[in-house]
Amino acid sequence: MSHFGGSGMPLVKPTAGDSLSFPNQNEPAEHKKYPKRGRPSVSPSLAELLKRVEGADTSGDNTAIDHHHHVIELSHACSSVPTSYPFVLSFKNLTYSVKASQKFELPFCGKGLSDSPDKVLLNDISGEAREGEIMAVLGASGSGKSTLIDALANRISKESLKGSVTLNGEVLESSLLKVISAYVMQDDLLFPMLTVEETLMFSAEFRLPRSLSKRKKKARVQALIDQLGLRNAAKTVIGDEGHRGVSGGERRRVSIGIDIIHDPILLFLDEPTSGLDSTSAFMVVKVLQRIAQSGSIVIMSVHQPSYRILNLLDRLILLSHGNTVFGGSPANLPDFFSQFGHPIPENENRTEFALDLIRELEETPEGTKNLVEFNKSWQRTKSPKNNNHESKSSISLTDAIRQSVSRGKLVSGATTDPGPDLTSSVPTFANPMWFEMIVIAKRSMKNSRRMPELFGIRFGAVLVTGIILATIYWKLDNSPKGVQERIAFLAFAMVTTFYTCAEAIPVFLQERYIFMRETAYNAYRRSSYVLAHSIISIPALVVLSLTFAAVTFFAVGLAGGFSGFIFFFFIILASFWAGSSFVTFLSGIVSHVMLGFTVVVAILAYFLLLSGFFISRDRIPAYWIWFHYISLVKYPFEGVLQNEFDDPNKCFVRGVQMFDNTPLGSLPMSMKLKLLKSMSNALGINITSSTCVTTASDILTQQGITDISKWNCLWILVAWGFFFRILFYFTLLVGSKNKRR
């Protein structure tokens, strides 16, 4: 009886001392024999095994599934898996160069700017990778490993990359490649406060179709956890610098897991073993071997593999400054270097010897030119055999994808019969937009709920600011000084709402690369991300607005009663909405947190300067008036002023009060009355100490607020918020292509 799980490999819960079928670690490298590699056997895919898991579970209780001991008898089932020809990814004559930086020399030396020659990153690279195998790209730093992986994964613009990349002889369209492939970046880009199981489950929600039941998705995630050897860490949070979480090797396997949840045909990985100890690195590659044997092509870059990892690899490409210096099976390394005149010593690790020799040759005047030419001649001697092998193992891409889909791979809503049009048979996105929005919102709220200090700090800042303003401007009167203080309070209160929105800058910057990784391969739409984050931000803005309005409105003694308070609350809410949208838009443009804060603070200062508080609209120079109308502070400031001075007949300056803000204010009352009498005689108007001199409408006129009503100010502010959200969407659309030029 055979016990399998996940991808056709033994499904065993890792325990202490279980190293996922490690070879004898005490066996010396020279005694290890490379197994002869024939045509890879087709193991059952992850989807097939999960169907058997679901069939075995007839209880129907989602919570009652025992995921810790899935042991499935597949001795008969595995034999019934239809044999299919493997996929073959071929790449020929890949060449890629970039413009070198210009050199500047002083003009008095007779030279100015001079163009440097283009820097060649890939130079005529050819090879192939097959289903069921791991192809590793090796080389020193700067050799072109990551560039080659990006070229194969369509992460370099077609205008810049020369050569061809085909799958079973057919050129891959970009839209189809996104669906059938996955790319694991070198950095582990994960939400820190989600557990391993939650992270994989959210990935399943994104990448698996809604037609797949919740129970089946959970079963798929549990099988994948066992396949990745993450059972002991399933309930542990990922963690970050401030929160203890899983180990480095476990993080790397989680990163792989979220990209293979939909069982892709092609899997690209950029140095998946970098930064890991030898045991963790071996476990990662062992997982990749299982993935390959489930019917996938695995292509990865690796800096310097150990001899144990080398035993798991099927094909190698060694690079030196963008040139191929070896391509073939690891078993051919001794013969290759022996014919080149540098035989590998028996006690030497083969890849270490090869990389050391390449580094030594790179330091010579001729570099690795002779080794590159020798590899070309050596490849020509092997080419007839390779061509015959390829002709026997290759089938059309349509037939290959049809067989893979029928076996359960590409679980993204694909039809079992792809038909002639592959792109239409496999949908671009697995789920509708509304479902994506729900999943994005759930994930974001769960991650935020486990870091309450983020909202707590912002809430505390708003509350403390409100208390300080309330105590400073406590119960203002209607005197001329009270009017000035009311205007100052309202201006400071409005700009405070915008400055407290600056905390939104790190939110997207921290998620930027997670977003780019997920949208690069159509996990969800960019519009779903923008809409979901816009909606889930509203409850927090309501709480902040209500807190600030409640603390300040009645304490300061603002006018309008309950209706005035309601408008004050709404204008604060609209200010928070417009401010957070503006800051979110800037975070899509600026890629550094400190630079983002600098830009936000500077622009908000300009908004305040030209809002109409420091200088009225009538006094702003004509060449700056445009900035007055795009100032976000202008509209809430004018709105709350009109809300405060809403009664046109309400008097704020009477008789002798007109002298209060002038040097005449210190004169005795008798002298002020005489001055009023003299002014009355001169103007022909009777002005007494109780005569109203300045009404609420006069104050609005002095501030230059006559063209927009307070409700229009509110709606304009709301519209600004939507406008910046739309701009944020377009910055994501343009700036997250994730391709080299």
Side-chain angles (χ1 to χ4, degrees), residues 25-319:
Q25 300 183 23
N26 298 323
E27 183 180 354
E30 66 271 19
H31 292 162
K32 293 198 173 288
K33 303 297 183 183
Y34 290 92
K36 293 183 179 180
R37 304 280 182 182
R39 184 179 176 280
S41 61
V42 180
S43 302
S45 68
L46 178 62
E48 290 175 307
L49 298 179
L50 283 160
K51 289 177 182 177
R52 295 167 191 147
V53 171
E54 295 154 14
D57 175 35
T58 58
S59 64
D61 185 358
N62 293 1
T63 61
I65 301 173
D66 181 9
H67 300 295
H68 294 272
H69 303 286
H70 281 315
V71 180
I72 310 163
E73 185 173 349
L74 298 179
S75 56
H76 302 291
C78 289
S79 62
S80 65
V81 177
T83 303
S84 65
Y85 290 96
F87 289 94
V88 178
L89 181 72
S90 301
F91 47 98
K92 296 180 180 179
N93 311 118
L94 294 182
T95 301
Y96 174 61
S97 59
V98 294
K99 290 284 186 183
S101 58
Q102 292 183 327
K103 296 180 179 179
F104 180 79
E105 299 181 11
L106 295 176
F108 56 77
C109 296
K111 298 180 181 179
L113 284 173
S114 60
D115 291 330
S116 302
D118 291 349
K119 182 178 180 180
V120 178
L121 301 182
L122 296 178
N123 185 22
D124 198 29
I125 306 293
S126 300
E128 69 176 25
R130 295 178 176 272
E131 177 186 328
E133 296 182 347
I134 300 178
M135 186 183 80
V137 183
L138 278 69
S141 298
S143 61
K145 302 188 300 298
S146 297
T147 306
L148 178 57
I149 298 293
D150 286 347
L152 298 178
N154 193 33
R155 290 164 63 90
I156 298 178
S157 64
K158 293 181 179 180
E159 295 77 13
S160 302
L161 180 66
K162 299 177 181 178
S164 64
V165 180
T166 60
L167 186 62
N168 286 24
E170 299 182 27
V171 177
L172 276 173
E173 294 294 331
S174 177
S175 57
L176 179 62
L177 181 62
K178 285 184 176 182
V179 176
I180 68 173
S181 67
Y183 186 99
V184 180
M185 298 181 179
Q186 184 173 349
D187 298 322
D188 299 320
L189 306 171
L190 305 167
F191 285 92
M193 299 312 295
L194 299 180
T195 66
V196 170
E197 185 177 15
E198 290 169 344
T199 301
L200 295 175
M201 191 63 204
F202 279 120
S203 180
E205 296 277 14
F206 285 129
R207 302 305 296 263
L208 304 184
R210 191 170 58 92
S211 57
L212 204 63
S213 68
K214 189 82 169 181
R215 182 176 62 85
K216 292 179 180 179
K217 290 179 181 179
K218 287 182 178 179
R220 182 177 294 271
V221 168
Q222 296 302 326
L224 184 58
I225 287 173
D226 288 324
Q227 182 189 20
L228 297 171
L230 293 170
R231 175 57 58 196
N232 291 337
K235 302 296 183 181
T236 306
V237 296
I238 300 299
D240 57 10
E241 295 83 358
H243 304 87
R244 186 176 180 85
V246 297
S247 66
E250 290 168 336
R251 286 174 63 93
R252 191 62 46 86
R253 279 177 275 158
V254 174
S255 296
I256 296 172
I258 58 179
D259 285 314
I260 66 169
I261 192 73
H262 64 302
D263 225 356
I265 294 171
L266 298 172
L267 178 59
F268 304 98
L269 304 101
D270 186 13
E271 298 202 21
T273 61
S274 64
L276 302 180
D277 58 77
S278 60
T279 300
S280 297
F282 176 79
M283 293 177 70
V284 167
V285 180
K286 190 68 176 176
V287 166
L288 296 179
Q289 185 188 52
R290 295 180 175 191
I291 295 169
Q293 291 175 345
S294 72
S296 299
I297 298 175
V298 177
I299 303 175
M300 68 174 186
S301 60
V302 60
H303 186 66
Q304 189 165 324
S306 65
Y307 68 86
R308 293 189 299 162
I309 291 178
L310 191 62
N311 282 340
L312 303 177
L313 306 179
D314 301 278
R315 292 173 184 265
L316 294 180
I317 292 182
L318 269 66
L319 297 181

Side-chain angles (χ1 to χ4, degrees), residues 460-472 489 496 547-548 551-552 555-556:
V462 170
L463 180 62
V464 170
T465 303
I467 292 174
I468 292 175
L469 289 175
T471 52
I472 291 176
F489 163 77
T496 297
T547 301
F548 187 81
V551 169
T552 58
V556 174

Side-chain angles (χ1 to χ4, degrees), residues 472-494:
I472 291 176
Y473 296 99
W474 181 265
K475 299 297 181 182
L476 296 178
D477 56 27
N478 293 328
S479 66
K481 288 186 178 180
V483 170
Q484 288 185 339
E485 290 167 353
R486 285 173 189 270
I487 296 174
F489 163 77
L490 294 173
F492 192 85
M494 294 305 104

Side-chain angles (χ1 to χ4, degrees), residues 542-686:
V542 170
V543 172
L544 295 176
S545 303
L546 189 59
T547 301
F548 187 81
V551 169
T552 58
F553 185 87
F554 298 104
V556 174
L558 299 181
F562 182 74
S563 61
F565 171 78
I566 294 299
F567 180 83
F568 186 72
F569 161 72
F570 277 122
I571 203 75
I572 293 292
L573 178 59
S575 299
F576 274 123
W577 161 251
S580 63
S581 299
F582 172 68
V583 171
T584 301
F585 161 64
L586 285 182
S587 69
I589 300 176
V590 180
S591 59
H592 194 273
V593 175
M594 293 309 299
L595 180 60
F597 277 120
T598 302
V599 172
V600 168
V601 169
I603 294 179
L604 289 180
Y606 305 148
F607 282 166
L608 176 61
L609 177 64
L610 294 168
S611 64
F613 172 66
F614 290 106
I615 180 172
S616 64
R617 184 190 59 186
D618 300 335
R619 304 278 297 172
I620 296 176
Y623 46 83
W624 279 117
I625 195 67
W626 62 272
F627 205 101
H628 169 72
Y629 285 100
I630 68 169
S631 170
L632 293 183
V633 182
K634 161 188 167 65
Y635 300 100
F637 177 59
E638 292 188 2
V640 292
L641 278 181
Q642 292 182 69
N643 188 57
E644 181 64 20
F645 303 104
D646 193 35
D647 185 0
N649 298 320
K650 186 176 182 179
C651 186
F652 287 90
V653 180
R654 294 181 181 276
V656 293
Q657 287 182 328
M658 71 173 68
F659 303 122
D660 286 356
N661 294 326
T662 68
L664 300 178
S666 59
L667 294 176
M669 180 60 68
S670 58
M671 184 62 69
K672 292 179 183 178
L673 292 174
K674 291 181 179 179
L675 288 174
L676 283 179
K677 188 175 182 180
S678 299
M679 293 174 61
S680 299
N681 295 332
L683 296 173
I685 302 174
N686 184 26

